[in-house]
């Protein structure tokens, strides 16, 4: 039997000279605003995607112009922590080198720019470098930005967890010098040994993207079970002693293809803090060697574990780590939301969490959010912490500085919004007009949609109940919609699949309830369900658990069997 043909990206990576390709030549070309097809895949490893304004496609086509190409660049910011000085640099870039003139906080605790012309890419990356920031491995078939619970209140434990997240991010960066050569003008070094260049990734890197998160119970704001690899902190007497390791989560799927599905990670057991790097490398190299390189739709770690089996995968990880898993420790995973407003930490410092709708920091009529963040950054002495719910924490504020920072936040519309429980727990992806994968709106439509949800909750007397609502323009799942109590996934312009039944804590997936329906149908369905929930719910029962208990949808226990079944 002939050997299966590899996916096109595998040949691109093999022939790329460790992610160099012809990116430099494409960057220097002024004939077009785009890169070649092959380089469009390789530039993702450098942290950016080629896009175009889909609102203008037809108009430009009629004018016989190429699409209005631009780029989205995503930074690598482990755990979402940056300094006020770095933020000022980030803001300056957004204000002078992007057409969007905005900063977007992502669902993976970093920021991204939209509307970058090709001619500005190098200037932006060099500007980030001056602030000790970069975009290497923010995208592509590598370990991406490592998430970490951003809670600054219990300072010591969270600082220990953050250090682990940062070490994971730094340790698992690609070793190729391509990024430094192309964007930072460093001289190319000669090498002859593949493993010297990429000791973890090898010449072909991973079969697909790889995501990690560090959670600190009882919070699950990083949605740890949706990640390829998760570390759930275990503490004794306030000190970090190790982690429960999870593996095999992932949100992406493809409409109509039942062999693809979202999945939550499996628990594998407890590991000591000193063994974190061993296990991380072991899991990643198993995925490197066992992962599917013929079909990118089934190339994530979740499919590797399903196809090879839990026990076989676990045994191989232990062999490669040189350490066995200990029994899983008992921890409680709880709320996925952020703590809005002021909270005092154990060290007497104060922390202000700001709600940023869909993560978009931009000056708008009546709300000058970007200006407000800039003004705060100029006087703030602590740090900024981006959350995986697309919000911002002004962390480490001395008591005497509270009034000044709060005044600026209120003046610029960063504070003082009327915020329902559900709106505060809900997120959306970018979608149209820039994302090439989007089938429907998300970020632009989401605030209006949540207005409708809030109204329905008020009508049915359940406004006090937080419901996790998430919307994406496609099934790739960037806003983790399949782990939402109410998930909306774009199917076509104005049409969505409606998913129900995930639990509030993020430890159970949802399931499709209605397919390809419009706003009026969605709201009618939810109105009826909210009415039932108001009358029939048990004490303390969350909406997702209610929909499963009364049989609206079946619980998804084994995603491979249950999600489509």
């Amino acid at each position: 039997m002939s050997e299966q043909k590899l996916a096109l990206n595998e040949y691109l990576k093999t022939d790329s000279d460790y992610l160099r390709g012809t990116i430099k030549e494409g960057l220097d070309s002024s004939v077009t605003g785009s890169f070649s097809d092959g380089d469009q895949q390789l530039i993702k490893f450098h942290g950016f995607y080629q896009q175009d304004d889909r609102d203008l496609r037809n108009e430009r086509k009629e004018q016989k112009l190429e699409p209005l190409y631009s780029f989205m660049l995503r930074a690598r910011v482990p755990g979402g922590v940056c300094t006020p000085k770095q933020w000022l640099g980030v803001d300056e870039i957004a204000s002078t080198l992007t057409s969007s003139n905005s900063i977007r906080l992502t669902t993976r605790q970093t920021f991204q720019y939209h509307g970058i012309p090709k001619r500005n890419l190098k200037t932006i990356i060099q500007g980030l470098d001056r602030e000790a920031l970069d975009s290497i491995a923010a995208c592509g078939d590598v370990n991406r930005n490592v998430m970490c619970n951003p809670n600054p209140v219990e300072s010591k434990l969270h600082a220990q967890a953050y250090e682990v997240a940062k070490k994971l991010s730094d340790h698992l960066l690609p070793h190729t010098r391509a990024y430094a050569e192309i964007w930072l003008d460093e001289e190319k070094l000669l090498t002859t040994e593949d493993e010297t260049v990429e000791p973890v990734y090898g010449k072909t890197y991973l079969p697909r993207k790889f995501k990690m998160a560090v959670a600190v119970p009882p919070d699950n704001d990083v949605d740890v079970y949706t990640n390829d690899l998760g570390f759930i902190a275990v503490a004794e007497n306030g000190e970090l002693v190790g982690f429960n390791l999870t593996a095999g989560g992932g949100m992406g799927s493809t409409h109509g293809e039942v062999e693809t599905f979202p999945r939550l990670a499996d628990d594998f057991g407890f590991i000591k803090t000193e063994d974190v790097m061993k296990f991380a490398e072991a899991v990643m190299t198993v995925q490197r060697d066992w992962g599917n390189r013929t079909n990118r739709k089934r190339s994530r770690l979740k499919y590797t574990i399903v196809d090879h089996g839990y026990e076989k995968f676990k045994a191989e990880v232990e062999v490669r780590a040189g350490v066995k898993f200990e029994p899983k420790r008992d921890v409680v995973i709880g709320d996925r939301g952020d703590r809005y407003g002021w909270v005092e930490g154990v060290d007497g410092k104060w922390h202000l969490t700001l709600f940023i709708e869909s993560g978009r920091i931009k000056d708008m009529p009546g709300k000058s959010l970007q200006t407000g963040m800039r003004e705060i950054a100029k006087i703030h002495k602590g740090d900024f912490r981006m959350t995986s719910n697309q919000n911002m924490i002004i962390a480490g504020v001395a008591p005497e500085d509270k009034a000044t920072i709060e005044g600026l936040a209120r003046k610029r519309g960063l504070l003082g919004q009327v915020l329902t429980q559900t709106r505060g727990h809900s997120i959306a992806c970018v979608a149209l007009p820039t994302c090439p994968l989007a089938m429907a709106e998300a970020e632009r439509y989401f605030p209006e949609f949540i207005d409708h949800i809030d109204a329905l909750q008020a009508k049915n007397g359940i406004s006090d109940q937080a419901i996790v609502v998430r919307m994406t323009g496609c099934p790739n799942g960037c806003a983790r919609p399949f782990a939402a109590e109410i998930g909306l996934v774009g199917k076509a312009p104005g049409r969505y699949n409606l998913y129900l039944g995930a639990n509030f804590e993020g430890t159970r997936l949802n399931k499709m309830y209605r397919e390809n329906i419009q706003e009026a149908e969605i709201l009618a369905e939810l109105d009826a369900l909210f009415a039932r929930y108001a009358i029939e719910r048990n004490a303390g029962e969350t909406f997702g658990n209610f929909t499963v208990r009364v049989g609206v949808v079946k619980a998804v226990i084994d995603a491979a069997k249950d999600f489509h079944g």
Side-chain angles (χ1 to χ4, degrees):
M1 187 172 69
S2 61
E3 188 175 334
Q4 282 187 296
K5 187 176 181 180
L6 297 176
L8 175 61
N9 289 58
E10 296 305 314
Y11 299 104
L12 289 171
K13 287 181 285 187
T14 300
D15 298 337
S16 72
D17 188 19
Y18 294 102
L19 308 182
R20 292 175 178 86
T22 56
I23 295 173
K24 190 176 187 305
E25 292 79 0
L27 187 66
D28 293 337
S29 172
S30 58
V31 175
T32 175
S34 71
F35 284 92
S36 69
D37 290 345
D39 286 342
Q40 285 178 43
Q41 299 303 314
L42 295 177
I43 60 176
K44 295 177 184 179
F45 291 81
H46 298 254
F48 56 95
Y49 287 77
Q50 181 170 303
Q51 302 179 332
D52 72 279
D53 190 330
R54 293 170 61 179
D55 288 347
L56 299 177
R57 271 186 188 174
N58 290 337
E59 178 185 332
R60 291 182 67 84
K61 187 175 182 180
E62 289 174 3
Q63 296 173 351
K64 301 190 184 316
L65 297 172
E66 74 173 9
L68 185 60
Y69 291 118
S70 65
F71 296 85
M72 180 278 285
L73 183 143
R74 183 180 299 143
R76 182 181 69 96
V77 189
V81 179
C82 70
T83 66
K85 180 181 180 300
Q86 286 175 319
W87 185 263
L88 289 172
V90 168
D91 174 79
E92 175 70 15
I93 288 170
S95 302
T96 59
L97 296 170
T98 75
S99 63
S100 71
N101 297 312
S102 67
I103 304 163
R104 191 175 194 277
L105 308 184
T106 79
T107 57
R108 293 200 63 79
Q109 291 184 288
T110 183
F111 64 87
Q112 58 193 38
Y113 299 122
H114 291 264
I116 305 170
K118 186 173 74 171
R119 65 181 179 275
N120 288 351
L121 283 169
K122 192 169 184 177
T123 306
I124 286 177
I125 291 175
Q126 290 184 345
L128 290 175
D129 183 68
R130 285 193 291 274
E131 301 299 339
L133 294 169
D134 59 59
S135 62
I136 182 69
C139 318
D141 298 345
V142 287
N143 178 49
R144 299 191 177 184
N145 198 55
V146 179
M147 295 164 67
C148 182
N149 179 291
N151 177 16
V153 176
E154 298 172 34
S155 305
K156 188 173 184 180
L157 179 59
H158 287 78
Q160 292 171 334
Y162 167 71
E163 285 304 315
V164 170
K166 191 172 185 305
K167 286 176 183 176
L168 281 165
S169 179
D170 293 342
H171 181 69
L172 297 169
L173 281 176
H175 283 211
T176 175
R177 302 299 300 163
Y179 182 88
E181 293 164 15
I182 296 169
W183 308 108
L184 306 178
D185 295 324
E186 292 190 10
E187 188 174 343
K188 184 173 182 178
L189 302 176
L190 298 178
T191 182
T192 56
E193 295 293 332
D194 287 356
E195 289 304 310
T196 301
V197 177
E198 294 291 8
V200 174
Y201 291 111
K203 195 170 185 178
T204 53
Y205 296 85
L206 297 180
R208 201 71 165 81
K209 59 188 174 184
F210 197 93
K211 298 180 178 181
M212 288 187 193
V214 178
V216 183
D219 296 319
N220 189 24
D221 54 333
V222 295
D223 260 327
V224 66
Y225 283 97
T226 67
N227 288 264
D228 294 86
L229 185 58
F231 299 89
I232 301 174
V234 177
E236 293 178 0
N237 300 317
E239 293 281 348
L240 182 69
V241 295
F243 300 89
N244 287 336
L245 185 144
T246 68
M251 287 286 96
S253 65
T254 303
H255 284 317
E257 298 190 18
V258 297
E259 72 274 12
T260 70
F261 45 85
R263 187 177 190 270
L264 296 184
D266 296 309
D267 291 298
F268 279 84
F270 174 81
I271 63 173
K272 295 177 181 176
T273 306
E274 57 264 32
D275 294 327
V276 162
M277 296 303 162
K278 295 176 187 176
F279 276 98
E281 280 199 18
V283 171
M284 289 182 68
T285 58
V286 174
Q287 168 63 353
R288 178 196 68 196
D289 299 340
W290 291 12
N292 188 328
R293 292 184 182 267
T294 63
N295 179 3
R296 283 181 68 80
K297 292 180 181 179
R298 282 195 50 97
S299 57
R300 291 286 295 273
L301 178 65
K302 59 185 176 181
Y303 299 117
T304 303
I305 294 175
V306 169
D307 292 344
H308 288 269
Y310 173 91
E311 293 298 340
K312 181 180 178 182
F313 178 84
K314 180 178 182 179
E316 183 67 17
V317 168
E318 289 180 331
V319 168
R320 297 192 186 203
V323 187
K324 286 191 176 292
F325 288 105
E326 297 179 24
K328 174 187 171 184
R329 302 285 179 90
D330 289 333
V331 295
V332 176
I333 288 289
D335 197 348
R336 288 186 281 171
D338 291 334
R339 301 173 177 84
Y340 297 107
W342 287 107
V343 181
E344 185 178 13
V346 295
D347 59 357
K349 294 289 184 69
W350 287 84
H351 316 286
L352 177 62
T353 301
L354 305 172
F355 173 74
I356 310 293
E357 187 114 57
S358 296
R360 185 69 68 175
I361 297 179
K362 182 179 178 68
D363 284 352
M364 297 169 281
K367 291 196 300 185
S368 47
L369 308 185
Q370 194 169 351
T371 297
M373 285 298 304
R374 185 185 310 131
E375 291 173 344
I376 291 171
K378 289 178 180 178
I379 63 168
H380 182 41
K381 303 179 184 69
D383 58 40
F384 291 157
R385 303 191 182 195
M386 294 168 272
T387 81
S388 61
N389 290 308
Q390 302 173 291
N391 297 312
M392 180 68 83
I393 302 174
I394 313 300
V397 178
E400 61 269 22
D401 296 329
K402 277 183 65 183
T404 302
I405 287 179
E406 179 171 332
L408 289 173
R410 288 190 180 278
K411 177 182 176 183
R412 297 300 183 181
L414 287 160
L415 192 62
Q417 312 101 319
V418 176
L419 191 61
T420 63
Q421 287 285 330
T422 291
R423 190 180 294 272
H425 278 79
S426 300
I427 56 178
C429 75
V430 174
L432 296 170
T434 53
C435 179
L437 301 176
M439 303 173 186
E441 295 281 359
E443 178 188 330
R444 294 194 296 193
Y445 165 55
F446 195 58
E448 178 187 335
F449 180 76
I450 293 296
D451 286 343
H452 293 311
I453 296 298
D454 285 343
L456 290 180
Q457 285 193 251
K459 172 187 172 185
N460 289 286
I462 57 170
S463 294
D464 60 327
Q465 179 59 53
I467 301 175
V468 178
V469 183
R470 294 174 178 174
M471 177 180 285
T472 58
C474 83
N476 270 21
C478 292
R480 305 185 289 277
F482 303 113
E485 293 179 283
I486 299 174
L488 280 301
V489 176
K491 191 75 183 290
R495 306 188 76 92
Y496 299 83
N497 290 349
L498 172 61
Y499 293 82
L500 302 172
N503 62 5
F504 185 77
E505 297 79 13
T507 57
R508 185 180 65 236
L509 289 177
N510 55 28
K511 189 176 180 67
M512 187 159 64
Y513 176 64
R514 291 288 185 267
E515 184 176 12
N516 196 25
I517 58 177
Q518 295 177 295
E519 179 186 274
E521 298 167 276
I522 294 167
L523 296 177
E525 292 283 1
L526 293 176
D527 190 13
L529 289 170
F530 286 174
R532 285 191 63 187
Y533 177 58
I535 297 169
E536 301 175 31
R537 61 177 167 170
N538 294 330
E541 186 174 37
T542 55
F543 181 69
N545 286 345
F546 169 78
T547 59
V548 169
R549 180 178 64 81
V550 301
V552 174
V553 290
K554 293 181 180 178
V556 175
I557 306 302
D558 181 342
K561 299 175 182 177
D562 302 336
F563 184 74
H564 295 293

